[in-house]
Amino acid sequence: MVTKSGDVRWVDDRTFIRRDEDGTITHYQGIILDITDRKKAEEALDEALKKTKELELVINSSPVVVFLWKNEPNWPVEVVSDNILQFGYTANELISGEVLYSDIIYPDDLEYVRSTFERKSGETSKGLTADYRIITKSGDVRWVRERTLIRRDEDGQISHYQGIILDITERKKAEDALRLDEFRLEALLKLNKMTAAPLQEITDFAREEAVKLTKSKQGYLAFMSPDEGALIMHSWSKDAMKECAIEDRKFIYPIETTGLWGEAVKQRKPIITNDYQAPSSLKKGYPQGHVELTRHMNVPIFDGNRIVAVAGVGNKEEDYDESDLRQLILLMQGMWRLIQRKQMEEALQKYSQELSKAEIELKSLDRMEVEFISSKKDLSQVTEYGELMDGETLDIIDDLKKKAIDNVLHYSQRLRRLVDSFVYTSMEEAGKIEYNFEPIDISGSLENSLLDTIFMVEEKDILVEKIIPEPLPLVNGDEEKLTDMFTILMDDAIRFTPPKGKLILKIDAEENYLHIMVKDSGPGIPEKLIPHMFQKFYEIGALIKHSYEGLESGLYICKKIVDAHEGRIKIESKIGAGTEVHVWLPKVK
């Protein structure tokens, strides 16, 4: 109603209706009560309830869980927002006590959370912040950040904890990934500084770092046999050795008899097994006393297309993922590069010393020859005791000089090949090898290679037979790199071809490729050496003539050039029947 002064007031009208004997209304009798203040209070309450519902809606639609806990053992929940459902639990489960909050904290973190609460409770602190893991109802593990205010009663005793919980799992993963990358870079830097360290120290360091970077509990490293037919166990991590109770440990494992852990070699790719106990037709079991595996990951380490080693880790608390693979692969590739670099440096040092010894021996024989000739007047004189004639002595010295010259040539050539391979590898790792592809006629590269080796051909009077059809289809190639490749192949072929021997250069135009063959008439390459011919470095055994040393250094470069052209290269050889090197290069479409 409106007052005389114009104000509007709310009233409560409570009226009785009075009627006469005929039932006709005659009067209205009642009271009017001013309820303006009550009405305003109700409107305010409605508005507050509306805002409360809006606030509740905002809270429950946000990622933040709001809670109120009692300060009692296991932290019983009085209030929790409905969005606790994001972890699989309902608010009613926690409020009713059906689920205690202490039950969903990850077991390994429970003591940390308890000690944090106890420490803060004994201080004058008004709140605390803690990061820990919880287990969702489905069994997943999530990281949360809790920010809590401590509520105290009039006596200063803690009565409740109120605050928020925020899921920070993705942030933690990003932070862990960054931290792991930093650790890996640090590990690789340490590896690069270990050039003077023994091989065992290098492999031990890489293996233990692999365990740390992947948060595993065990690790191992095995090298492949030359034919990739067997794994030769090199070492196990320290923790694995502590837990392993196998009395008769094997060190050689034929690939055909290995179980699930050998699949990285069989499939030639990394293998992750996050449930190692699950039934699998690939499993062969493991011996009594072996470390029990729950999770396992192993990766093949490649040198070109050849598997040279296998590194594995096991029993991470969480599932292995792509990040773990990346850490393990990069670390082990760094280890293998260091091993090869170390082998090359040691080989360079070894052949430098051998070359120096051969040169000293040759100079010594030269001096011996000069001194012998100058001390004799009659080279045909024979003593009464039947000593060798002076002419025969000179022949012996001459034979020794020829052997010394052969050694000088061998070791200088070996050094040149190693240096070329070392330089190429260094440029390759630095990303400084560039290709300029264009349609070319490879007969030009072959002719340039022949010109580069013509003096060697003429010196040994070798017959070069060229079977090259005209015109040749074009290939998409880098002429300079292909010339380098053919020069290496020619150089090898001429080196093994005997004087007055024959060298064949043949090109066939196949459906999609040009097939180039370089064939010599030399002694051939032992079959067991052929699988190693495209390695960066391979130590020739003492039972095989050292004339084969150095082949792999140049052929490694050839293989890299062919791979860059998306082609193929293969060696075929038989003892006594010469060697054929086949190269296939894609034709321009």
Side-chain angles (χ1 to χ4, degrees):
M1 62 180 295
V2 181
T3 66
K4 191 172 183 179
S5 62
D7 295 334
V8 177
R9 307 290 292 178
W10 277 96
V11 297
D12 184 1
D13 184 352
R14 295 181 181 182
T15 301
F16 293 98
I17 301 173
R18 296 176 63 179
R19 302 175 185 272
D20 59 17
E21 294 178 352
D22 298 329
T24 302
I25 297 174
T26 59
H27 293 84
Y28 295 98
Q29 173 186 338
I31 60 173
I32 295 175
L33 179 64
D34 188 336
I35 59 169
T36 303
D37 292 338
R38 191 180 77 191
K39 199 70 174 175
K40 287 181 178 180
E42 290 175 351
E43 289 177 348
L45 180 59
D46 288 343
E47 186 66 25
L49 288 173
K50 181 180 177 182
K51 289 182 178 179
T52 299
K53 289 181 180 179
E54 290 176 352
L55 180 60
E56 186 178 340
L57 180 64
V58 169
I59 290 173
N60 287 326
S61 62
S62 75
V64 176
V65 178
V66 179
F67 65 85
L68 178 66
W69 291 331
K70 292 180 183 179
N71 180 26
E72 296 176 9
N74 299 321
W75 309 300
V77 176
E78 278 197 355
V79 178
V80 65
S81 54
D82 288 341
N83 58 355
I84 190 69
L85 192 61
Q86 64 185 284
F87 300 118
Y89 304 101
T90 65
N92 186 60
E93 284 178 313
L94 288 162
I95 294 171
S96 67
E98 182 182 344
V99 176
L100 294 173
Y101 192 74
S102 59
D103 294 337
I104 72 174
I105 296 177
Y106 192 72
D108 289 355
D109 294 350
L110 184 56
E111 183 57 35
Y112 159 73
V113 177
R114 287 192 186 280
S115 62
T116 301
F117 271 74
E118 289 173 3
R119 187 179 68 255
K120 290 295 182 180
S121 299
E123 300 174 358
T124 57
S125 173
K126 293 183 179 180
L128 61 89
T129 298
D131 292 352
Y132 54 89
R133 290 166 291 180
I134 66 171
I135 304 173
T136 68
K137 197 167 187 178
S138 62
D140 294 335
V141 177
R142 306 293 292 178
W143 275 95
V144 295
R145 172 163 294 173
E146 178 184 330
R147 291 179 177 172
T148 295
L149 292 175
I150 299 174
R151 291 172 59 174
R152 301 177 187 270
D153 57 25
E154 294 179 354
D155 298 326
Q157 299 299 313
I158 297 174
S159 61
H160 293 82
Y161 299 100
Q162 74 176 58
I164 60 172
I165 295 171
L166 177 65
D167 188 333
I168 59 168
T169 305
E170 298 307 318
R171 184 196 309 174
K172 273 286 185 182
K173 285 182 179 179
E175 291 172 353
D176 287 347
L178 180 60
R179 193 178 301 110
L180 280 173
D181 283 341
E182 291 173 353
F183 287 161
R184 175 175 50 80
L185 287 173
E186 184 179 343
L188 289 174
L189 285 172
K190 287 181 181 178
L191 263 179
N192 287 332
K193 293 178 181 178
M194 294 179 72
T195 51
L199 178 63
Q200 186 69 46
E201 186 177 334
I202 292 171
T203 54
D204 286 350
F205 174 81
R207 186 197 62 240
E208 295 302 320
E209 287 298 307
V211 172
K212 292 178 187 176
L213 286 172
T214 57
K215 298 180 180 178
S216 301
K217 293 185 178 177
Q218 286 87 28
Y220 62 87
L221 179 64
F223 290 100
M224 290 296 301
S225 62
D227 61 355
E228 293 190 17
L231 275 167
I232 304 166
M233 188 58 65
H234 179 266
S235 59
W236 290 267
S237 63
K238 296 174 183 177
D239 288 343
M241 292 301 292
K242 290 177 183 177
E243 294 185 29
C244 183
I246 300 175
E247 294 182 1
D248 184 18
R249 295 191 184 100
K250 292 183 179 180
F251 288 89
I252 299 178
Y253 297 85
I255 291 300
E256 62 181 13
T257 62
T258 60
L260 185 56
W261 76 285
E263 287 300 304
V265 177
K266 295 173 184 175
Q267 298 186 37
R268 305 184 72 79
K269 68 178 184 179
I271 300 293
I272 291 177
T273 310
N274 278 322
D275 186 1
Y276 205 86
Q277 298 302 315
S280 171
S281 60
L282 300 175
K283 292 170 71 173
K284 301 286 179 70
Y286 37 66
Q288 185 176 0
H290 192 282
V291 175
E292 185 174 340
L293 290 173
T294 55
R295 294 180 178 85
H296 178 258
M297 174 179 74
N298 61 353
V299 300
I301 304 166
F302 285 88
D303 184 1
N305 293 326
R306 194 173 73 88
I307 297 176
V308 292
V310 173
V313 291
N315 291 356
K316 181 183 177 182
E317 289 186 355
E318 301 171 7
D319 285 353
Y320 287 107
D321 56 24
E322 292 298 321
S323 174
D324 296 315
L325 272 182
R326 183 174 66 253
Q327 302 298 339
L328 187 58
I329 290 171
L330 290 174
L331 180 65
M332 289 301 164
Q333 284 178 337
M335 178 202 72
W336 181 248
R337 283 196 296 269
L338 177 61
I339 290 173
Q340 287 199 309
R341 190 180 188 92
K342 186 176 178 65
Q343 287 179 324
M344 275 193 167
E345 288 173 349
E346 289 175 351
L348 284 170
Q349 184 178 10
K350 169 187 171 183
Y351 290 111
S352 293
Q353 292 171 349
E354 295 291 346
L355 177 60
S356 179
K357 285 168 59 179
E359 289 174 340
I360 291 171
E361 183 181 1
L362 182 59
K363 288 178 182 178
S364 176
L365 289 168
D366 281 337
R367 283 197 306 271
M368 185 185 299
E369 183 179 40
V370 171
E371 291 172 0
F372 185 82
I373 292 175
S374 64
S375 66
K376 299 294 180 181
K377 295 180 181 179
D378 185 357
L379 299 181
S380 62
Q381 182 180 356
V382 182
T383 70
E384 58 181 325
Y385 299 105
E387 293 176 352
L388 290 173
M389 290 189 304
D390 293 340
E392 291 182 41
T393 302
L394 284 174
D395 288 342
I396 292 172
I397 293 174
D398 190 50
D399 287 342
L400 291 172
K401 282 180 64 178
K402 286 180 179 178
K403 290 180 181 178
I405 290 170
D406 285 344
N407 282 335
V408 168
L409 290 174
H410 166 72
Y411 290 122
S412 61
Q413 188 176 48
R414 177 65 167 138
L415 272 174
R416 178 176 63 81
R417 286 293 186 85
L418 277 173
V419 169
D420 288 346
S421 182
F422 192 80
V423 170
Y424 183 90
T425 302
S426 299
M427 291 180 65
E428 183 181 37
E429 291 177 358
K432 293 184 178 180
I433 296 180
E434 297 180 355
Y435 285 83
N436 298 308
F437 292 101
E438 59 182 351
I440 60 169
D441 183 341
I442 63 167
S443 59
S445 294
L446 278 169
E447 289 298 332
N448 291 335
S449 300
L450 272 174
L451 286 174
D452 288 342
T453 55
I454 192 65
F455 292 112
M456 295 171 62
V457 171
E458 292 178 349
E459 182 182 359
K460 298 181 78 170
D461 193 20
I462 293 172
L463 172 64
V464 178
E465 180 181 348
K466 294 189 290 184
I467 307 173
I468 302 175
E470 292 184 1
L472 278 177
L474 301 180
V475 300
N476 190 37
D478 183 314
E479 187 165 7
E480 181 181 348
K481 298 291 192 305
L482 289 177
T483 299
D484 291 341
M485 180 191 72
F486 289 131
T487 300
I488 292 172
L489 297 181
M490 299 276 199
D491 185 72
D492 287 342
I494 294 166
R495 172 182 164 189
F496 283 94
T497 300
K500 298 186 180 298
K502 186 176 182 181
L503 178 66
I504 299 175
L505 305 177
K506 182 180 179 183
I507 300 179
D508 291 318
E510 299 178 356
E511 184 176 356
N512 297 314
Y513 293 88
L514 278 187
H515 175 197
I516 305 100
M517 182 189 73
V518 179
K519 181 178 181 179
D520 64 50
S521 55
I525 301 172
E527 184 179 357
K528 66 180 181 179
L529 283 185
I530 292 177
H532 304 284
M533 288 295 97
F534 297 113
Q535 294 178 220
K536 291 180 186 176
F537 174 79
Y538 179 67
E539 188 70 43
I540 301 295
L543 297 178
I544 299 176
K545 291 182 180 179
H546 69 190
S547 57
Y548 296 104
E549 289 181 322
L551 274 177
E552 82 287 353
S553 299
L555 289 170
Y556 169 78
I557 297 174
C558 293
K559 177 80 165 58
K560 299 299 287 187
I561 292 172
V562 171
D563 288 345
H565 285 76
E566 298 182 351
R568 293 182 290 123
I569 184 169
K570 183 176 77 170
I571 296 173
E572 292 181 350
S573 185
K574 290 183 179 179
I575 296 298
T579 299
E580 298 177 2
V581 180
H582 300 267
V583 175
W584 289 268
L585 297 174
K587 296 190 296 187
V588 173
K589 296 179 180 179

